[in-house]
Each structure stands twice: as structure tokens, then as C-alpha cells.
Amino acid sequence: MDFTHDTIELFHTYKHLAVLLSIAFNIVISILGVVPSVFLTAANLAVFGFAQGMWISFLGESIGAILAFLLYRKGLSSLQDRKGFSHPKIQRLLHATKSESFLLILSLRLMPFVPSGLVTFIASIGKTTLMIFATASSLGKIPAILIEGFSVNEMMNVTTTGKLLMALFAVTGFVLLLKRLR
């Protein structure tokens, strides 16, 4: 199943709702916390163009993270006292002051290999306020969305850079697979 192609077709079929559908999909992806959004970014770029597609992806991911934060906080607040969160970085975010939590969330959002859902989850069961989370998370998503959008755009247009990125991703995936098998 080709999610990107299917999403593009859906957006073309429902042009008048395409922006809202994209944002809704991003919200669902954010709440699920483990589904990558790259296919949706690719669809946004294909349907709306680079600048508007990037803006829609950013808006959807930011709103999605905020709603996921609120849902996680409501449903999972009792988890903060459990022992499963013993890693020092997690403990630091759970008990961080306002300025510390802002900087931690911002820095974690800037790291491309830290799962977005994990950052949202940990922040939601900690003491981070909604305003601090929303601001730090959204600011941190800007470079991540730009990098993802540029990469996706280059791969979709199969430029030399896109070919190099695909090769880099393939080699990285192969190396990670080999490490995991050992």
C-alpha cells in the first residue's frame, strides 16, 4: 500500500478539504506517537507545493503535538510515579523547572532521531506546562520540518541530491539492520 500516493489522490479528490484532511492526519499521527509523518509531508509537497506544503505540515505537526500532549496528560498522568522512567534524561524532563523543560523539549525536537511521540509523552507526564510545551515543541519542529521537507522534495524530484540522500538512507538502514542482528 502506497500511503503517499493514496493521500495525494485523496487530497486531489477532496480539494476543498485537503488542508483540513492533512492537518487531521497529522493530529492522528501525533496522537499515535509511533507513525512517521514523512509520507504526509511528501503528499503535502506534491499537492500544495514546497512553501505551502511545508507550512501545512508544520501547522499539522504542531497542532497534533499539542493535542497529543493534552490527551496524554489527561489519560496518563498517573504514570509519572512509576519506576519505568529511570533514565536520567527522562527524570530530568519529568522534574524540570519551566526554563529547563523549555530547553529540554526544544533540544529534543531539534534532534532528528528522537521520536516526537516520546518527547510529547514524557513532557505530558512531567511538570511541563502546556504553554511551555507548545512553544518549545513548535519552535523545535521548524528545523526538523525544513530538513524533512527538503529531503523529501529532493527525493521526489530525483535530483542528484535526492539520489545521494536515498543512498545515504539505504546505507544507514543497512548498517542499523546489521547492528540489530548482531
Side-chain angles (χ1 to χ4, degrees):
M1 179 181 253
D2 184 2
F3 291 116
T4 302
H5 179 72
D6 293 343
T7 305
I8 290 169
E9 289 299 316
L10 182 70
F11 289 172
H12 283 305
T13 302
Y14 299 98
K15 288 180 183 184
H16 59 289
L17 294 174
V19 172
L20 293 176
L21 286 170
S22 176
I23 291 170
F25 289 164
N26 251 320
I27 290 169
V28 170
I29 289 168
S30 295
I31 290 169
L32 293 174
V34 294
V35 178
S37 64
V38 70
F39 80 90
L40 187 54
T41 300
N44 286 341
L45 295 179
V47 173
F48 304 111
F50 188 80
Q52 188 178 9
M54 294 296 294
W55 176 246
I56 293 167
S57 290
F58 169 75
L59 193 60
E61 286 198 27
S62 294
I63 293 169
I66 292 165
L67 291 176
F69 176 87
L70 290 170
L71 284 171
Y72 294 173
R73 170 142 301 164
K74 181 88 173 153
L76 305 172
S77 60
S78 64
L79 291 179
Q80 66 185 345
D81 296 328
R82 301 226 175 135
K83 293 187 179 203
F85 304 110
S86 60
H87 190 279
K89 296 256 187 209
I90 293 173
Q91 283 297 312
R92 191 169 161 207
L93 182 54
L94 283 173
H95 302 292
T97 64
K98 288 181 181 182
S99 60
E100 288 173 328
S101 65
F102 178 88
L103 291 173
L104 280 166
I105 292 165
L106 180 65
S107 65
L108 289 170
R109 286 287 190 236
L110 292 172
M111 293 180 194
F113 299 111
V114 176
S116 184
L118 181 63
V119 176
T120 302
F121 174 74
I122 299 300
S124 72
I125 63 172
K127 298 177 188 214
T128 303
T129 66
L130 174 61
M131 184 58 76
I132 288 189
F133 175 80
T135 305
S137 179
S138 295
L139 285 174
K141 283 187 175 289
I142 293 170
I145 290 282
L146 288 173
I147 291 167
E148 180 179 287
F150 175 75
S151 301
V152 166
N153 191 57
E154 293 297 305
M155 284 189 243
M156 284 179 7
N157 293 321
V158 195
T159 63
T160 302
T161 305
K163 291 175 187 174
L164 289 171
L165 285 169
M166 285 189 255
L168 178 64
F169 289 145
V171 168
T172 302
F174 183 70
V175 168
L176 291 174
L177 180 64
L178 286 177
K179 283 185 176 183
R180 188 171 200 135
L181 294 174
R182 289 185 186 178

